[in-house]
Amino acid sequence: MEQPTQAGRRDFLTTAAMAGGLAAGYGTFAAMAGRYLYPAKPIEMAWLFVADLQGFKPGDSLVYRTPAGGPVAVARRGSAGTADDFLALSSTCPHLGCQVHWEAQHGRFFCPCHNGVFDPTGKAISGPPAEAGQSLLRYPLKVENGLLYIQVPVETLGRTTCPGHDRCLAGRRGGEQA
Ligand code: FES
């Protein structure tokens, strides 16, 4: 019987390494193709209650918390009693995620992290967000039977404390049931 030579062993190892590389390459390709053919599950959205229009007058505003805990500034600007009366803007700066706040004296949203400025509709007008064309995220709203609803992602529903506005959160913190 012929004994394996040193060169023969080297050839075998080289061939095995190449086969392994090809398998890994095809595996990566298959994974990428699978992701393309079967895209990730779309984000689940739902309409959630925000407020009763009776208690939310023109000029009023509130902070709504999405199920994931993201703050959304909701303001009422009109009195028609339709969704067009309202505006819901994320308070999370689209630049690097700091919290913006409303500056009534300047009529703008301001992000203190890098001096990002947004107009009352959430459009970026100065600072890094404006340079990158990143405005505040605007959420869809609807009015049904005198109640205001917001459409938000609900993937984390049930894993956070309490979606809703500040009063809801304050009640839960104090041990009350909503
Ligand atoms: S995080 Fe808001 S301007 Fe940079």
Side-chain angles (χ1 to χ4, degrees), residues 45-112:
M45 305 288 284
W47 289 100
L48 299 181
F49 170 76
V50 177
D52 186 329
L53 265 57
Q54 295 279 337
F56 197 4
K57 306 289 184 203
D60 285 353
S61 64
L62 57 80
V63 176
Y64 178 88
R65 295 253 172 210
T66 68
V72 179
V74 184
R76 182 168 189 178
R77 304 175 300 175
S79 56
T82 67
D84 290 340
D85 287 355
F86 301 91
L87 182 65
L89 296 171
S90 170
S91 298
T92 302
C93 181
H95 179 224
L96 290 178
C98 292
Q99 292 303 296
V100 305
H101 61 265
W102 175 248
E103 290 185 339
Q105 70 275 28
H106 300 299
R108 68 183 191 179
F109 290 97
F110 182 70
C111 178

Side-chain angles (χ1 to χ4, degrees), residues 79-151:
S79 56
T82 67
D84 290 340
D85 287 355
F86 301 91
L87 182 65
L89 296 171
S90 170
S91 298
T92 302
C93 181
H95 179 224
L96 290 178
C98 292
Q99 292 303 296
V100 305
H101 61 265
W102 175 248
E103 290 185 339
Q105 70 275 28
H106 300 299
R108 68 183 191 179
F109 290 97
F110 182 70
C111 178
C113 287
H114 312 101
N115 299 326
V117 180
F118 306 84
D119 74 9
T121 68
K123 182 172 183 260
I125 53 175
S126 181
E131 288 161 20
Q134 299 170 309
S135 294
L136 295 176
L137 180 64
R138 187 170 174 168
Y139 289 87
L141 295 163
K142 71 176 180 181
V143 171
E144 276 183 9
N145 301 320
L147 304 177
L148 180 66
Y149 295 88
I150 187 170
Q151 191 178 42

